[in-house]
Amino acid sequence: MNDPYQNNYTYTQDGGGPDGYPYQTDYPPQEEDAASDATEGADEDDQMYEGEYQGIPHPDEIKEARRAARLEAKRKARLTAQQEEEEENLPEQYETIMEDCGHGRFQWMLFFVLGLALMADGVDGFVVGFVLPSAEKDMCISNANKGLLGLLVYVAMMVGALVWGGLCDKIGRRKCLIYVLTIDLVFSFLSCFAQGYGFFLFFRFCSGFGIGGSIPIVYTYFTEFLQMDKRGEHLSWLCMFWMLGGLYASFTAWGIIPHYGWGFAIGTQFQMHSWRLFILVCLFPALAALIGVIFMPESPRFLLENARHDEAWMILRKVHDTNWKAKGEPERVFTVTNIKTPQTQEDDFIEIQSDTGTAFQRWTVRKMTMLQQVEQLCFIPYKTETLLMVFFYVSVCISYHGLGVWFPDMIKYMQYEEYESKVRVFHRERVERFHFNFSLVNQVHREGEYIHDKFANIEFKSVKFENSLFENCYFEDVKSTNTFFENCTIKNTVFYNTDLWQEKFKNCRMDNTTFLHPKKGCHLNFQEENDIVIYMVSFLGSLAVLPGNIISALFMDKLGRIRIIGGSMLASSACTFLLLLSFSQGVVICWQCLFYAVSVAAWNGLEVISVELYPSSKRGTAFGILNGICKFAAIIASFIFAAFIGITKIIPIFLAFVALVCGGLVALKLPETREKILC
């Protein structure tokens, strides 16, 4: 009988075993049906790793995970290196392109257009101060409301700087400037026709909100069309337009406001006095700037930061061709074919879906996220520099704007003291059956008696009647300025076509007194000498900064920003001590002009550094925040310095001196940006 397993042995002659003897290499194969039920349905791929029961990963899985992590790290490293290289190369390439485009006709056209926008901001800063003496009488504005007008306009400009500075980094420099000028034009125009104080206040607030964003936008816009060796000089020349705005406002106010006949009236409700015409004339710089900006292109640097490569290339070629054609070399070709663009990423705003939050919650989260991004991209990398910039802006604003309020108020106070020293006092006079056909000026009448007297076609200017008796008197066509009746008794008296109304009589007893055709509003006096002095002081103060502007423009790139700022602030601090010798109006005006002439160079240096220090993607935002802080410091300084008028000169002068000295000494800590390529 044959062995059934005999043919199922396999032998080898090649040394299957260590001794070369044959050995059995396999067991007899089983029938397919005889396979174990335990392995039924199992295949090689589905075999389970033994350690998996204990939660231990398979060695192959560990290797695969490590390999994937290394590949991902290498990919991120390559992307980061590529992004850093591109971001590094874009500023240098952009600077090379601007040098190739040259500085010529295009920059000068943009210079004058943006200069007009800056001039409009300068004009707006003087408008309220010039129209207030007339507007407060035309609309019977109280002293409290008068201060509210100036405060709200500055608050609006502060908010405007913050908002528009940030928006110009989002939607573009040119577009934001068009919006800013349009808002200013529309609401300034409406303020010309506002008959009520509430509407006038609202329109001036909206106008200030618009024009408040012009400074950060203008400097950011112009900087991105300048090459490195031209920035300091031409930005300083641009600052002169703010001075021209002050000159324009002062000159036109001097020539228009005192002329009462230049106005007109429609009925009794609508009156267009000359101070309203002055506001209308002040719109011309903003209107001219708006027309010019419409024909100007967007900043190519902004377009590159937002990955709009083709538009930026077309604008740069236009700048190149315009400049070289004007220089007589139209054959020069714009050879740039590829401009590196930074690896831009959309802002990762945290969105709340409509079904999980209200509109206010979504708006709040979006704004908070934006503030965090601004802090991370703009202020954290430049923390020390930003703190120094804030310090310098505050110190310059406290001194410049504080003394800017102190100078005219001090002059007014000196005029008031001089006026009070010449007041004529009449005590217990009795006037009977007399016709007053001459004006009464700067007089005080106490315990007088006026019987059967007539006051016709005259003016009361700074006249006060105290504890006096008016019996059977007749007042006709009487105009009054700063005139009051206190504790008086008025019997059987007629007031016909006068502006003597309820607010003029304080604690008075009236018996059988008649008011016929009283004049609406308050009397406007356009012939006051004080108005002429105000215009002259503002005109001279604006003109005085011309030498400082010229010097700073010529030496900004030669001496550097730091030396200009430090030298200007220290020299200005020395000028403040001369104010202690101010004993007359003429001397105050002289020291004011000297202070403005010296301190303007520090302003120019700070504005140049502000646009050179921060990256292009957040340049407008940073400058807007700094300018907003500046406006806030100006508001605080105006209150502090105005509070000491008539009390002491030492405290305001000492505050200005300390602020300027500290700023000048710490100026060495500011970064020098003279040779810095715009990042």
Short mmCIF file of all heavy atoms in Angstrom, two decimals, residues 334-376:
data_model
loop_
_atom_site.label_atom_id
_atom_site.label_comp_id
_atom_site.label_asym_id
_atom_site.label_seq_id
_atom_site.Cartn_x
_atom_site.Cartn_y
_atom_site.Cartn_z
N PHE A 334 9.53 102.05 -20.60
CA PHE A 334 9.34 101.46 -19.27
C PHE A 334 9.66 99.98 -19.37
O PHE A 334 8.90 99.19 -19.96
CB PHE A 334 7.90 101.69 -18.80
CG PHE A 334 7.64 101.26 -17.39
CD1 PHE A 334 8.36 101.80 -16.33
CD2 PHE A 334 6.66 100.31 -17.11
CE1 PHE A 334 8.11 101.41 -15.03
CE2 PHE A 334 6.41 99.91 -15.82
CZ PHE A 334 7.14 100.47 -14.77
N THR A 335 10.79 99.59 -18.85
CA THR A 335 11.31 98.24 -19.08
C THR A 335 10.86 97.22 -18.05
O THR A 335 11.19 96.04 -18.17
CB THR A 335 12.85 98.29 -19.09
OG1 THR A 335 13.30 98.82 -17.83
CG2 THR A 335 13.35 99.15 -20.23
N VAL A 336 10.13 97.64 -17.02
CA VAL A 336 9.72 96.69 -15.98
C VAL A 336 8.63 95.78 -16.54
O VAL A 336 7.62 96.25 -17.08
CB VAL A 336 9.19 97.44 -14.75
CG1 VAL A 336 8.69 96.46 -13.70
CG2 VAL A 336 10.28 98.32 -14.17
N THR A 337 8.86 94.49 -16.46
CA THR A 337 7.88 93.52 -16.96
C THR A 337 7.27 92.68 -15.85
O THR A 337 6.19 92.13 -16.01
CB THR A 337 8.54 92.57 -17.98
OG1 THR A 337 9.67 91.92 -17.35
CG2 THR A 337 9.01 93.35 -19.20
N ASN A 338 7.96 92.60 -14.73
CA ASN A 338 7.46 91.77 -13.64
C ASN A 338 7.71 92.48 -12.32
O ASN A 338 8.85 92.87 -12.02
CB ASN A 338 8.15 90.40 -13.63
CG ASN A 338 7.63 89.51 -12.52
OD1 ASN A 338 6.45 89.57 -12.18
ND2 ASN A 338 8.50 88.69 -11.95
N ILE A 339 6.65 92.68 -11.56
CA ILE A 339 6.76 93.32 -10.25
C ILE A 339 6.37 92.30 -9.20
O ILE A 339 5.31 91.68 -9.28
CB ILE A 339 5.84 94.55 -10.14
CG1 ILE A 339 6.14 95.54 -11.27
CG2 ILE A 339 6.03 95.23 -8.79
CD1 ILE A 339 5.22 96.74 -11.26
N LYS A 340 7.25 92.11 -8.25
CA LYS A 340 6.95 91.17 -7.18
C LYS A 340 5.82 91.71 -6.32
O LYS A 340 5.81 92.88 -5.98
CB LYS A 340 8.19 90.92 -6.32
CG LYS A 340 9.33 90.23 -7.06
CD LYS A 340 10.48 89.98 -6.13
CE LYS A 340 11.64 89.31 -6.89
NZ LYS A 340 11.26 87.96 -7.33
N THR A 341 4.91 90.87 -5.99
CA THR A 341 3.81 91.26 -5.11
C THR A 341 3.88 90.43 -3.85
O THR A 341 4.21 89.24 -3.89
CB THR A 341 2.45 91.03 -5.79
OG1 THR A 341 2.36 89.67 -6.20
CG2 THR A 341 2.29 91.94 -6.99
N PRO A 342 3.58 91.03 -2.72
CA PRO A 342 3.64 90.27 -1.47
C PRO A 342 2.56 89.20 -1.44
O PRO A 342 1.54 89.30 -2.10
CB PRO A 342 3.41 91.33 -0.39
CG PRO A 342 2.65 92.41 -1.09
CD PRO A 342 3.15 92.42 -2.51
N GLN A 343 2.83 88.16 -0.68
CA GLN A 343 1.87 87.08 -0.54
C GLN A 343 0.75 87.57 0.37
O GLN A 343 0.81 87.48 1.58
CB GLN A 343 2.54 85.85 0.08
CG GLN A 343 1.70 84.59 0.03
CD GLN A 343 1.65 84.00 -1.36
OE1 GLN A 343 2.52 84.30 -2.17
NE2 GLN A 343 0.65 83.19 -1.61
N THR A 344 -0.28 88.16 -0.24
CA THR A 344 -1.35 88.76 0.54
C THR A 344 -2.32 87.69 1.01
O THR A 344 -2.55 86.70 0.34
CB THR A 344 -2.12 89.79 -0.30
OG1 THR A 344 -2.64 89.14 -1.46
CG2 THR A 344 -1.20 90.91 -0.72
N GLN A 345 -2.86 87.95 2.15
CA GLN A 345 -3.88 87.08 2.71
C GLN A 345 -5.03 87.96 3.18
O GLN A 345 -4.81 89.02 3.75
CB GLN A 345 -3.36 86.26 3.89
CG GLN A 345 -2.28 85.28 3.49
CD GLN A 345 -1.81 84.49 4.69
OE1 GLN A 345 -2.22 84.76 5.81
NE2 GLN A 345 -0.97 83.52 4.45
N GLU A 346 -6.23 87.52 2.90
CA GLU A 346 -7.38 88.28 3.35
C GLU A 346 -7.43 88.28 4.86
O GLU A 346 -7.03 87.32 5.53
CB GLU A 346 -8.68 87.67 2.80
CG GLU A 346 -8.78 87.74 1.28
CD GLU A 346 -8.86 89.17 0.79
OE1 GLU A 346 -9.39 90.02 1.52
OE2 GLU A 346 -8.38 89.44 -0.33
N ASP A 347 -7.89 89.38 5.40
CA ASP A 347 -8.00 89.47 6.84
C ASP A 347 -8.95 88.39 7.37
O ASP A 347 -10.06 88.21 6.87
CB ASP A 347 -8.55 90.85 7.25
CG ASP A 347 -7.55 91.95 6.92
OD1 ASP A 347 -6.36 91.63 6.85
OD2 ASP A 347 -7.98 93.09 6.74
N ASP A 348 -8.47 87.68 8.37
CA ASP A 348 -9.27 86.58 8.91
C ASP A 348 -10.23 87.12 9.95
O ASP A 348 -10.06 86.95 11.16
CB ASP A 348 -8.35 85.53 9.55
CG ASP A 348 -7.43 84.91 8.53
OD1 ASP A 348 -7.87 84.78 7.37
OD2 ASP A 348 -6.30 84.57 8.89
N PHE A 349 -11.28 87.80 9.48
CA PHE A 349 -12.26 88.33 10.40
C PHE A 349 -13.10 87.18 10.96
O PHE A 349 -13.45 86.24 10.25
CB PHE A 349 -13.19 89.32 9.69
CG PHE A 349 -12.52 90.62 9.40
CD1 PHE A 349 -12.24 90.98 8.09
CD2 PHE A 349 -12.18 91.47 10.42
CE1 PHE A 349 -11.63 92.18 7.81
CE2 PHE A 349 -11.56 92.67 10.14
CZ PHE A 349 -11.28 93.02 8.85
N ILE A 350 -13.39 87.29 12.20
CA ILE A 350 -14.24 86.29 12.83
C ILE A 350 -15.69 86.66 12.54
O ILE A 350 -16.15 87.73 12.92
CB ILE A 350 -14.00 86.25 14.36
CG1 ILE A 350 -12.53 85.90 14.63
CG2 ILE A 350 -14.94 85.26 15.02
CD1 ILE A 350 -12.20 85.93 16.10
N GLU A 351 -16.37 85.79 11.83
CA GLU A 351 -17.75 86.07 11.44
C GLU A 351 -18.71 85.29 12.35
O GLU A 351 -18.47 84.14 12.69
CB GLU A 351 -17.98 85.67 9.98
CG GLU A 351 -17.20 86.48 8.98
CD GLU A 351 -17.73 87.89 8.84
OE1 GLU A 351 -18.82 88.16 9.39
OE2 GLU A 351 -17.05 88.71 8.21
N ILE A 352 -19.78 85.93 12.72
CA ILE A 352 -20.86 85.27 13.44
C ILE A 352 -22.02 85.14 12.49
O ILE A 352 -22.46 86.12 11.90
CB ILE A 352 -21.27 86.08 14.68
CG1 ILE A 352 -20.08 86.22 15.63
CG2 ILE A 352 -22.43 85.41 15.40
CD1 ILE A 352 -20.41 87.00 16.87
N GLN A 353 -22.50 83.95 12.29
CA GLN A 353 -23.58 83.73 11.35
C GLN A 353 -24.86 84.40 11.85
O GLN A 353 -25.04 84.65 13.04
CB GLN A 353 -23.81 82.23 11.15
CG GLN A 353 -22.60 81.50 10.63
CD GLN A 353 -22.13 82.06 9.29
OE1 GLN A 353 -22.96 82.45 8.46
NE2 GLN A 353 -20.84 82.11 9.07
N SER A 354 -25.74 84.68 10.90
CA SER A 354 -26.95 85.42 11.23
C SER A 354 -27.84 84.67 12.22
O SER A 354 -28.60 85.27 12.96
CB SER A 354 -27.75 85.70 9.96
OG SER A 354 -28.06 84.49 9.30
N ASP A 355 -27.72 83.33 12.23
CA ASP A 355 -28.57 82.57 13.12
C ASP A 355 -27.95 82.37 14.50
O ASP A 355 -28.56 81.76 15.38
CB ASP A 355 -28.89 81.21 12.51
CG ASP A 355 -27.61 80.42 12.18
OD1 ASP A 355 -26.53 81.05 12.18
OD2 ASP A 355 -27.71 79.21 11.92
N THR A 356 -26.73 82.87 14.71
CA THR A 356 -26.08 82.71 16.01
C THR A 356 -25.78 84.02 16.69
O THR A 356 -25.21 84.04 17.76
CB THR A 356 -24.76 81.94 15.85
OG1 THR A 356 -23.90 82.66 14.95
CG2 THR A 356 -25.00 80.55 15.30
N GLY A 357 -26.11 85.14 16.10
CA GLY A 357 -25.83 86.41 16.73
C GLY A 357 -26.56 87.55 16.04
O GLY A 357 -27.00 87.43 14.90
N THR A 358 -26.68 88.68 16.74
CA THR A 358 -27.34 89.84 16.17
C THR A 358 -26.38 90.59 15.26
O THR A 358 -25.17 90.35 15.26
CB THR A 358 -27.83 90.75 17.29
OG1 THR A 358 -26.69 91.24 18.02
CG2 THR A 358 -28.76 90.00 18.24
N ALA A 359 -26.92 91.54 14.52
CA ALA A 359 -26.09 92.36 13.64
C ALA A 359 -25.08 93.16 14.45
O ALA A 359 -23.93 93.33 14.04
CB ALA A 359 -26.97 93.28 12.80
N PHE A 360 -25.49 93.64 15.62
CA PHE A 360 -24.57 94.41 16.46
C PHE A 360 -23.44 93.53 16.96
O PHE A 360 -22.28 93.96 17.02
CB PHE A 360 -25.33 95.01 17.65
CG PHE A 360 -24.46 95.75 18.61
CD1 PHE A 360 -23.96 97.02 18.29
CD2 PHE A 360 -24.10 95.19 19.83
CE1 PHE A 360 -23.14 97.69 19.18
CE2 PHE A 360 -23.29 95.86 20.72
CZ PHE A 360 -22.81 97.12 20.38
N GLN A 361 -23.74 92.27 17.30
CA GLN A 361 -22.69 91.36 17.76
C GLN A 361 -21.70 91.07 16.65
O GLN A 361 -20.49 91.04 16.87
CB GLN A 361 -23.32 90.06 18.26
CG GLN A 361 -24.06 90.19 19.59
CD GLN A 361 -24.76 88.91 19.98
OE1 GLN A 361 -25.19 88.14 19.12
NE2 GLN A 361 -24.90 88.68 21.28
N ARG A 362 -22.20 90.85 15.44
CA ARG A 362 -21.30 90.60 14.32
C ARG A 362 -20.43 91.82 14.05
O ARG A 362 -19.23 91.70 13.78
CB ARG A 362 -22.12 90.23 13.07
CG ARG A 362 -22.84 88.91 13.18
CD ARG A 362 -23.34 88.43 11.82
NE ARG A 362 -24.28 89.36 11.23
CZ ARG A 362 -25.59 89.36 11.46
NH1 ARG A 362 -26.10 88.47 12.29
NH2 ARG A 362 -26.38 90.22 10.85
N TRP A 363 -21.04 93.00 14.12
CA TRP A 363 -20.27 94.23 13.88
C TRP A 363 -19.21 94.41 14.96
O TRP A 363 -18.07 94.78 14.66
CB TRP A 363 -21.22 95.42 13.88
CG TRP A 363 -20.54 96.73 13.63
CD1 TRP A 363 -20.24 97.32 12.45
CD2 TRP A 363 -20.05 97.63 14.65
NE1 TRP A 363 -19.60 98.52 12.63
CE2 TRP A 363 -19.47 98.73 13.97
CE3 TRP A 363 -20.04 97.62 16.04
CZ2 TRP A 363 -18.91 99.81 14.64
CZ3 TRP A 363 -19.48 98.69 16.71
CH2 TRP A 363 -18.92 99.76 16.02
N THR A 364 -19.55 94.13 16.21
CA THR A 364 -18.60 94.30 17.32
C THR A 364 -17.42 93.35 17.17
O THR A 364 -16.25 93.75 17.32
CB THR A 364 -19.31 94.04 18.66
OG1 THR A 364 -20.41 94.94 18.79
CG2 THR A 364 -18.34 94.25 19.81
N VAL A 365 -17.71 92.07 16.87
CA VAL A 365 -16.62 91.09 16.72
C VAL A 365 -15.73 91.47 15.54
O VAL A 365 -14.50 91.35 15.61
CB VAL A 365 -17.21 89.68 16.53
CG1 VAL A 365 -16.12 88.68 16.18
CG2 VAL A 365 -17.92 89.25 17.81
N ARG A 366 -16.34 91.92 14.46
CA ARG A 366 -15.55 92.29 13.27
C ARG A 366 -14.61 93.45 13.59
O ARG A 366 -13.45 93.45 13.20
CB ARG A 366 -16.50 92.65 12.13
CG ARG A 366 -15.83 92.76 10.78
CD ARG A 366 -16.85 93.04 9.69
NE ARG A 366 -17.80 91.94 9.57
CZ ARG A 366 -19.10 92.04 9.83
NH1 ARG A 366 -19.60 93.19 10.24
NH2 ARG A 366 -19.89 91.01 9.66
N LYS A 367 -15.12 94.45 14.31
CA LYS A 367 -14.28 95.61 14.63
C LYS A 367 -13.20 95.25 15.63
O LYS A 367 -12.06 95.73 15.53
CB LYS A 367 -15.15 96.76 15.17
CG LYS A 367 -16.16 97.29 14.16
CD LYS A 367 -15.49 97.73 12.87
CE LYS A 367 -16.48 98.18 11.84
NZ LYS A 367 -15.84 98.49 10.53
N MET A 368 -13.52 94.43 16.60
CA MET A 368 -12.50 94.02 17.56
C MET A 368 -11.41 93.21 16.89
O MET A 368 -10.23 93.34 17.21
CB MET A 368 -13.15 93.21 18.69
CG MET A 368 -14.08 94.01 19.58
SD MET A 368 -13.26 95.41 20.38
CE MET A 368 -12.04 94.56 21.37
N THR A 369 -11.80 92.37 15.94
CA THR A 369 -10.80 91.60 15.19
C THR A 369 -9.90 92.52 14.39
O THR A 369 -8.69 92.32 14.31
CB THR A 369 -11.50 90.60 14.26
OG1 THR A 369 -12.39 89.79 15.03
CG2 THR A 369 -10.48 89.70 13.58
N MET A 370 -10.49 93.55 13.78
CA MET A 370 -9.70 94.49 13.01
C MET A 370 -8.70 95.22 13.90
O MET A 370 -7.54 95.41 13.53
CB MET A 370 -10.61 95.50 12.31
CG MET A 370 -9.88 96.47 11.42
SD MET A 370 -10.97 97.71 10.68
CE MET A 370 -11.38 98.67 12.14
N LEU A 371 -9.14 95.62 15.09
CA LEU A 371 -8.23 96.30 16.01
C LEU A 371 -7.08 95.38 16.43
O LEU A 371 -5.93 95.82 16.56
CB LEU A 371 -9.00 96.78 17.24
CG LEU A 371 -10.01 97.91 17.01
CD1 LEU A 371 -10.75 98.23 18.31
CD2 LEU A 371 -9.31 99.16 16.48
N GLN A 372 -7.38 94.11 16.64
CA GLN A 372 -6.32 93.16 16.99
C GLN A 372 -5.32 93.00 15.86
O GLN A 372 -4.11 92.91 16.08
CB GLN A 372 -6.94 91.81 17.35
CG GLN A 372 -7.74 91.82 18.64
CD GLN A 372 -8.43 90.50 18.90
OE1 GLN A 372 -8.30 89.56 18.12
NE2 GLN A 372 -9.20 90.43 19.99
N GLN A 373 -5.82 92.99 14.63
CA GLN A 373 -4.92 92.86 13.48
C GLN A 373 -4.04 94.09 13.35
O GLN A 373 -2.84 93.99 13.06
CB GLN A 373 -5.73 92.65 12.21
CG GLN A 373 -6.40 91.29 12.14
CD GLN A 373 -7.29 91.15 10.93
OE1 GLN A 373 -7.66 92.15 10.32
NE2 GLN A 373 -7.61 89.94 10.58
N VAL A 374 -4.63 95.27 13.54
CA VAL A 374 -3.84 96.50 13.48
C VAL A 374 -2.75 96.49 14.54
O VAL A 374 -1.60 96.85 14.30
CB VAL A 374 -4.76 97.73 13.64
CG1 VAL A 374 -3.94 99.00 13.82
CG2 VAL A 374 -5.68 97.86 12.44
N GLU A 375 -3.12 96.03 15.75
CA GLU A 375 -2.14 95.97 16.83
C GLU A 375 -1.02 95.00 16.51
O GLU A 375 0.16 95.29 16.73
CB GLU A 375 -2.85 95.56 18.12
CG GLU A 375 -1.92 95.48 19.32
CD GLU A 375 -2.63 95.00 20.56
OE1 GLU A 375 -3.82 94.64 20.46
OE2 GLU A 375 -2.00 94.98 21.63
N GLN A 376 -1.35 93.84 15.94
CA GLN A 376 -0.34 92.82 15.65
C GLN A 376 0.55 93.21 14.48
O GLN A 376 1.76 92.97 14.51
CB GLN A 376 -1.03 91.49 15.37
CG GLN A 376 -1.73 90.90 16.58
CD GLN A 376 -2.54 89.66 16.24
OE1 GLN A 376 -2.58 89.26 15.08
NE2 GLN A 376 -3.17 89.07 17.24
#
